[in-house]
Amino acid sequence: MVNHQGLILRVYLYLIILTLTSAYIGSIDNVYLQGMEGVAVTGILTLTLLKGLQIVDVYMELKQAPRLWRNLLRAYVVLLPFTIGMIYILF
Amino acid sequence: MDNNKVLALNIKTATLGKQPHLPGDLAMWFFILAELTVFAIFFLGFAVTRQLYPDMFLRGQAYLHPVAGGINTIALISSSCLVALSLNAIKQLRRDYAAALLGGAMLMASVYLGVKSWEYSQLLHLGFGLSTNTYFTLYFFITAFHFMHVILGMIILGFMAVKTKNGGYQGASLSGFEAGACYWHMVDLVWIILFPLLYVIN
C-alpha cells in the first residue's frame, strides 16, 4: 500500500501557511486598505476555498472517489465562500 | 472480441489502476452532506445579517479573541492531519502507531474545546449571551452547534482508537475507520469556513 505520509504533511504545512496568511490579511488596519476592503475579503475567502479543496481532495481522500461525490464536496467549498464573498462585497 | 480490442482494454485497465473508491460508507456521507447543508444555511444567514446590521456585528466582533480563534484553527487542522496520518498508518498495518495518532488527534480536539470554553466564559463574564443581540445569538448558536459536533467527533475518534488498538481493523474493511475520519474532516472543514467569518473578516 502506497505511503501518503509525505503528502499529508505537505498539505498540513500548506493549510497552516494559508491560515496564517488569511489571519495576517484580516489584521491589516482598514486605514491601510483604503477602499481595498473588497480585495482583502476576496483574498481571505479565496484562501479559505483553497484550504477546503485540500481537505476534500487529500484528507477526505475524495480525489480517488467517484466523480459525483468529489464534485459535490468541491462545489460546496467553492460555492459557499464565493456566495459569502458576493454577499459581503455587493450588498 | 478481437486481439487488438482485448489488448487495448488491458492497457486501459492497467493505466487507470484502481476503481474509484468512496471512503467510508454511504450513510455517513448522507449524514455529512446534511450537516454541511445546515452549516451552509447558518453561514449564509450570518453573512446576510452582518450586512443588515454592520455596526452591531463590528461591535460584537471586537469582544472576540482572534488569537483564540487562530489557536482553535491550528488545533483542528492539526487534529485533522493526525487523523489522516492515522488512516495512512493503519493501511500500512501499523496499528499501534495509528492508535497513538488518533490519541494525538483527540488531544488537539481537547485543546479546541478548552480554548472555546474559555472564550465562552470570557463573554459570559462580560454579560453577553444568547439573548444579548442578534450578533451574539448567531455567534453562540453557530459555535455551540459546532462545539457539539466536535464532542461527537471526539467520541467517534475514541471509539476508533480503542478498536484500532485491539486490532479491530486488522484484516477487515476500513470503511468504518474511513467514515469516522471523514466525519472528523467535515468538522474541521466547517471551522475553516467559520473562522474567517467570525474572526478575520472585519
Side-chain angles (χ1 to χ4, degrees), chain A residues 25-87:
Chain A
I25 296 172
S27 70
I28 297 173
D29 200 301
N30 285 348
V31 170
Y32 299 109
L33 288 175
Q34 293 285 355
M36 301 264 291
E37 291 89 355
V39 174
V41 169
T42 304
I44 289 165
L45 291 172
T46 303
L47 294 173
T48 302
L49 183 162
L50 292 174
K51 286 157 66 178
L53 287 175
Q54 288 303 304
I55 289 178
V56 166
D57 277 348
V58 180
Y59 284 2
M60 285 182 164
E61 295 189 341
L62 289 184
K63 207 166 188 176
Q64 295 88 33
R67 209 178 290 176
L68 170 67
W69 291 96
R70 185 188 181 201
N71 289 341
L72 208 51
L73 269 291
R74 284 168 70 94
Y76 183 91
V77 298
V78 169
L79 291 177
L80 187 55
F82 176 79
T83 308
I84 291 168
M86 289 295 105
I87 292 170

Side-chain angles (χ1 to χ4, degrees), chain B residues 21 35 43 92 117 123 140 175:
Chain B
H21 162 70
E35 296 298 289
F43 295 158
Q92 306 293 316
S117 300
L123 290 170
F140 279 110
S175 65

Side-chain angles (χ1 to χ4, degrees), chain A residues 3-4 12 61 64 76 91, chain B residues 21 36 51 78 88 91:
Chain A
N3 191 346
H4 294 290
Y12 174 67
E61 295 189 341
Q64 295 88 33
Y76 183 91
F91 297 106
Chain B
H21 162 70
L36 288 176
Q51 297 305 90
S78 302
N88 182 64
K91 287 177 181 175

Side-chain angles (χ1 to χ4, degrees), chain B residues 25-44:
Chain B
D25 54 60
L26 212 53
M28 178 56 87
W29 279 106
F30 278 110
F31 178 61
I32 286 172
L33 286 179
E35 296 298 289
L36 288 176
T37 304
V38 171
F39 275 109
I41 293 168
F42 288 158
F43 295 158
L44 293 173

